[in-house]
């Protein structure tokens, strides 16, 4: 009887060790892609490795980090998830460029807190190009960007896609185009949630399309789908459209199926406090 009990315990022990090892291995596989960073050099090293080898990487901020404001972080390959852990990353600008690239800001469940900001007064904070995809989740704040020839907050070009599931874009300005999000070519902005607030621009306070300013050239079509979320307290200082401005000779698509646009101001000529559309195409 004792031998049977001992045999049973031995088998149980071996099985337990097997499953423990399997769970540990699974955890290590997930963890090897995540790097907690404490300095600007650490951030650059992870992105350099991703650009060289592709794959998936996760950066977790271990503290507030400031990169030189004339530096541009370029993500050219793979999938990058950036988690703040309650901290702030101050960068010159971030460029996501290439086909098949995905960048995730925050966690899908909204449990992470990340702030992205800059002191650079020339470029937008985040530029998304070619067919790259940017996903932004609750708990993420893009703030304090002032740009000249680009959007204050996020610029979309090529066939890129920006999915805003949550979070906040705030206090971003541009002296030439949209303050919050600027959409060019055949890029798409899907707003499923979150807030764009207190942004100021010359072609849309919150959201704008590039097209044909007076005497200018055309660039292509672009799409904005608003399913939820809110654009508020934004200001346009040229023609109109504090919330959304589309002054273009190019085909565009604007679908507003939900969400709110509140307390926005159409400056300049005073047209359209919330939405201003002037297009030669339907």
């Amino acid at each position: 009887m004792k031998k049977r009990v001992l045999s049973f315990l031995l088998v149980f022990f071996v099985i337990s060790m097997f499953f423990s090892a399997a769970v540990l291995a699974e955890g290590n596989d997930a963890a090897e892609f995540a790097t907690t960073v404490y300095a600007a050099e650490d951030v650059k090293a992870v992105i350099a490795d991703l650009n060289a080898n592709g794959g998936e990487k996760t950066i977790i901020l271990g503290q507030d980090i400031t990169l030189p404001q004339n530096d541009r972080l370029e993500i050219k390959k793979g999938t990058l998830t950036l988690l703040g852990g309650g901290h702030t990353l101050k960068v010159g600008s971030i460029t996501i460029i290439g086909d098949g690239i995905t960048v995730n800001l925050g966690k899908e469940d909204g449990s992470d807190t990340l702030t992205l900001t800059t002191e650079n007064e020339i470029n937008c904070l985040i530029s998304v190009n070619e067919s790259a995809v940017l996903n932004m989740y609750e708990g993420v704040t893009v703030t304090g960007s002032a740009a000249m020839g680009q959007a204050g907050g996020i610029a979309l070009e090529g066939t890129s896609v920006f999915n805003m599931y949550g979070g906040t874009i705030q206090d971003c300005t541009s002296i030439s185009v949209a303050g919050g999000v600027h959409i060019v070519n055949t890029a798409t902005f899907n707003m499923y949630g979150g807030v764009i607030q207190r942004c100021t621009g010359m072609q849309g306070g919150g959201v704008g399309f590039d097209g044909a300013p007076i005497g200018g050239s055309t660039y292509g079509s672009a799409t904005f789908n608003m399913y939820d979320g809110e654009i508020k307290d934004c200001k346009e200082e040229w023609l109109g459209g504090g919330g959304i401005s589309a002054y273009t000779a190019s085909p565009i698509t604007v679908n507003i199926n939900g969400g709110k646009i509140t307390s926005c101001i159409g400056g300049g000529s005073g047209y359209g406090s919330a939405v201003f559309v002037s297009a030669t195409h339907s």
Side-chain angles (χ1 to χ4, degrees):
M1 182 67 180
K2 290 183 177 179
K3 290 182 179 180
R4 290 181 180 178
V5 172
L6 289 173
S7 297
F8 174 78
L9 291 175
L10 180 60
V11 172
F12 178 78
F13 175 76
V14 172
I15 293 174
S16 298
M17 291 297 293
F18 174 78
F19 279 108
S20 296
V23 171
L24 181 60
E26 183 180 353
N28 286 339
D29 287 343
E32 75 172 304
F33 300 114
T35 304
T36 300
V37 297
Y38 297 91
E41 292 73 18
D42 299 335
V43 177
K44 293 180 180 180
V46 174
I47 293 177
D49 182 63
L50 181 66
N51 287 340
N53 302 303
E56 299 180 12
K57 297 289 184 182
T58 296
I59 293 176
I60 306 170
L61 301 184
Q63 63 181 17
D64 293 349
I65 296 176
T66 297
L67 279 77
Q69 295 304 286
N70 60 346
D71 278 9
R72 174 182 295 174
L73 287 179
E74 290 193 348
I75 302 155
K76 303 176 182 179
K77 189 183 292 185
T79 298
L80 176 67
T81 298
L82 180 58
L83 305 178
H87 299 295
T88 297
L89 178 64
K90 184 181 290 186
V91 299
S93 63
I94 298 173
T95 297
I96 307 164
I97 182 168
D99 296 325
I101 300 172
T102 299
V103 173
N104 303 307
L105 302 179
K107 291 184 176 181
E108 287 187 38
D109 62 5
S111 61
D112 183 65
T113 302
L114 166 69
T115 299
L116 292 173
T117 190
T118 183
E119 292 179 354
N120 185 308
E121 296 184 350
I122 299 175
N123 301 309
C124 62
L125 187 47
I126 303 174
S127 175
V128 192
N129 300 271
E130 297 182 14
S131 66
V133 176
L134 174 65
N135 298 314
M136 178 173 168
Y137 299 102
E138 191 62 36
V140 176
T141 301
V142 172
T143 185
S145 175
M148 297 179 67
Q150 295 180 306
I154 298 175
L156 307 175
E157 299 184 36
T159 60
S160 63
V161 177
F162 172 35
N163 297 310
M164 186 175 183
Y165 296 103
T168 304
I169 300 171
Q170 65 181 26
D171 302 320
C172 294
T173 64
S174 173
I175 63 172
S176 58
V177 292
V181 180
H182 189 218
I183 312 166
V184 183
N185 305 129
T186 57
T188 300
F189 174 23
N190 298 311
M191 188 173 186
Y192 299 103
V195 178
I196 300 175
Q197 63 182 5
R198 301 194 302 271
C199 292
T200 302
M202 294 294 286
Q203 281 181 272
V207 177
F209 294 83
D210 208 342
I214 296 173
S217 61
T218 61
Y219 293 89
S221 61
T223 300
F224 174 45
N225 299 311
M226 186 174 187
Y227 302 106
D228 205 345
E230 184 174 9
I231 302 173
K232 65 178 183 179
D233 301 321
C234 293
K235 183 179 181 181
E236 202 278 346
E237 296 187 323
W238 181 35
L239 284 173
I244 303 169
S245 181
Y247 181 76
T248 172
S250 304
I252 62 168
T253 300
V254 180
N255 294 314
I256 302 178
N257 299 315
K260 297 185 293 184
I261 302 175
T262 59
S263 303
C264 293
I265 299 173
S269 299
Y271 300 120
S273 295
V275 179
F276 171 71
V277 177
S278 176
T280 57
H281 288 269
S282 57

